[in-house]
Structures are given as structure tokens and as C-alpha cells.
Amino acid sequence: MVTGQASGQDWQPAPLSEVVALFSKTAAPWWIAGGHAIELATGRSFREHHDIDVLVLRRDQLAVQEVLAGWQWWAADPPGNLRPWRPGELLPVGVHDVWCRPTASAPWRIQVMLDEAEGDDWVSRRDRHVRCGLADLGAVSAAGIPYLRPEIQLYYKAKQPRPRDSVDFAAVLPILDTGQRAWLVQSIDSTYGPHPWIEQLGE
């Protein structure tokens, strides 16, 4: 839950094409995440979206301020209090969500998620034992859009699956190969323990 002056569910997510156009201006790596990433992996749209997520490495976080210059950026301080993200401020580990909107009176348009990296490895913010090479973190759609690989997105969704997360899991499960399934099973088990998705991943 998010509280504070900028709280609320006043979201009007930016179209995927707008987000891609904005973030394509930076040389820093970025990936479409969330439900849109699952749809990019499957190659089809199959549900509504109430927001749009972009993943950026924490070490590249200031690229977000450059890409969205002139926008408002609000950091979600745990346990969910929104507060302004000051220009040039480096958000610490533990703050991994930023809500962005063009003006103070506009609805929220883009959510940025900050994730961790060590050298050439991505490291899960939930479990340091869960990691992969940065080169394997994302994929690129037929239209040239970078997106978070589905097994990694599902790993995050597995914490407390909502109905839409279960829809995403069912949609992408058929296209996961043996390696992706094995990585996801091991990662879910390491972080969350017994989980209903594990049995389905083994089928």
C-alpha cells in the first residue's frame, strides 16, 4: 500500500509506444517489466493493465531523471510512503519503486523499478542467492522492445500471486523451455519455499 501526499490509484498508464520512445533516449539498459513483459514474451495481448513498469538497474537510476526530465518523480519509501525524489539524489537499497507523472495534476503514467547488480550479474533484491547474468536478464521483442525475461518476471510475481499474476503465469507457461522452468523452480523454492506454481512448472 502507498500512502502520503501523492497516494491514490489515479493511474492512467502511458502507452507502451510512449514508454519505449522515452526510454530509447538513454544508453543505460532498461526493460519493460510487469504484465506488459509477459505479453511481449507471448507475442499477444490478453488482459487489461492498470500500470506500466520499467526496470532499470539501481546503478543507472539517474538515467530515469534524464529520460523523464520535467516530470515529477516520487520514490516509494518502505513500507510504501511516497515522497519526492530530488534531482541527483541516489536512492538507497530498499527503495525500489518510483512513480512518475508529467505534472502535479496529472495521473501517474509510469512506474520505474530499481533492481540490483554486481558486476555483470543481476541479483534479486529479495534473495541474493537468486541471480543471473545481465546478458540473460532480458529479451527483445520482434518490434525491438527490450523486456524482462518471463521466468524472472514470474519469480517476482510468485511472492503473493494476485489473480492477474495467475493469468500471466498460465499464459506464459507453455513457452518456457526446460532451462527457464528449472531456474524458476529453484528460485521460487529458494526465496519462498513450497509454492503451487512449482508443481505446474514440472509438468
Side-chain angles (χ1 to χ4, degrees), residues 173-186:
L173 180 61
I175 68 170
L176 297 180
D177 63 27
T178 301
Q180 290 172 305
R181 288 172 181 244
W183 183 92
L184 186 54
V185 166
Q186 181 177 0

Side-chain angles (χ1 to χ4, degrees), residues 1-2 9 11 33-38 46-53 97 99 111 113 125-126 152-171 192 195-197 200:
M1 181 177 68
V2 177
Q9 299 304 314
W11 268 89
H36 285 281
I38 298 294
F46 54 83
R47 69 170 177 86
E48 294 183 356
H49 300 276
H50 302 292
D51 58 11
I52 187 164
D53 304 318
D97 283 318
W99 289 20
Q111 178 169 316
M113 297 183 297
R125 62 178 179 266
R126 293 183 181 160
I152 297 172
Q153 185 60 69
L154 289 176
Y155 162 75
Y156 277 128
K157 286 176 171 285
K159 180 179 181 180
Q160 292 179 321
R162 302 156 296 184
R164 63 177 176 267
D165 298 323
S166 297
V167 169
D168 289 347
F169 176 78
Y192 311 119
H195 195 284
W197 287 0
Q200 297 178 63

Side-chain angles (χ1 to χ4, degrees), residues 82-115:
L82 282 173
R83 54 92 172 172
W85 181 21
R86 299 186 303 275
E89 176 190 2
L90 294 177
L91 297 173
V93 172
V95 178
H96 53 258
D97 283 318
V98 180
W99 289 20
C100 307
R101 59 186 177 185
T103 66
S105 60
W108 301 109
R109 300 282 282 166
I110 299 172
Q111 178 169 316
V112 176
M113 297 183 297
L114 304 179
D115 233 337

Side-chain angles (χ1 to χ4, degrees), residues 19 42 70 82 148 183:
V19 175
T42 63
L82 282 173
L148 192 62
W183 183 92

